[in-house]
Amino acid sequence: MPRSVAQRFPRAFDAVPEARSFLGDVLKEWKVTDRSDDVVLCLAEVAANAVRHATRSGFVVEVSLDDCRLRVEVHDAGPGVPRPGQPSDDDTDGRGLLIVSSLADGWGVTPHNPCGKTVWTEFKTDQNTTPIGVIPC
């Protein structure tokens, strides 16, 4: 049976570690340990972008697990669609989505009209929600 949980965070930089902690607790509760470091790091990158670019309404983190796929979404009302940067060796930022694309099995952006977006990441995982007796992934 699929699982899903969500939590709202304010537009504040201390919300990023709070979101990381929230996700870490969810992964621990769901016994998803094989990719937890990658998942939490990707969330931190996407949440930091939401704090930097979202409106004052903050952002929502939604986590779902269905069979062998973990999906983490960050919803915000900010304008624009994030794209991976092309930082030079001297740049001190602009690498977040490059990190996400190297660690996640998939990621993307779903724009919302009239404003806002969902940035999502997906991870294949050993954990599944298949009932006992059914062949797992």
Side-chain angles (χ1 to χ4, degrees):
M1 173 159 244
R3 301 177 200 177
S4 182
V5 64
Q7 185 169 325
R8 176 172 290 283
F9 296 92
R11 184 180 184 219
F13 280 105
D14 60 351
V16 175
E18 291 173 20
R20 287 174 59 111
S21 179
F22 162 73
L23 179 58
D25 291 346
V26 168
L27 297 177
K28 189 179 293 185
E29 179 183 327
W30 291 353
K31 296 179 178 32
V32 176
T33 58
D34 59 318
R35 303 284 306 273
S36 59
D37 291 341
D38 292 347
V39 175
V40 171
L41 178 56
C42 287
L43 169 67
E45 295 298 338
V46 174
N49 284 346
V51 168
R52 183 175 292 129
H53 301 291
T55 62
R56 54 192 145 132
S57 63
F59 63 97
V60 174
V61 174
E62 184 173 353
V63 187
S64 59
L65 179 64
D66 189 3
D67 291 327
C68 296
R69 183 190 63 143
L70 179 75
R71 184 176 176 108
V72 179
E73 299 179 350
V74 175
H75 309 273
D76 72 65
V81 174
R83 294 179 190 3
Q86 295 180 329
S88 71
D89 291 343
D90 297 333
D91 288 337
T92 58
D93 62 3
R95 292 176 176 79
L97 291 178
L98 296 172
I99 292 169
V100 168
S101 52
S102 70
L103 295 177
D105 294 313
W107 77 276
V109 181
T110 305
H112 302 286
N113 288 322
C115 65
K117 65 200 158 290
T118 298
V119 180
W120 55 267
T121 56
E122 289 187 340
F123 302 85
K124 296 174 189 168
T125 178
D126 291 341
Q127 176 65 29
N128 71 64
T129 58
T130 306
I132 295 174
V134 177
I135 300 171
C137 302

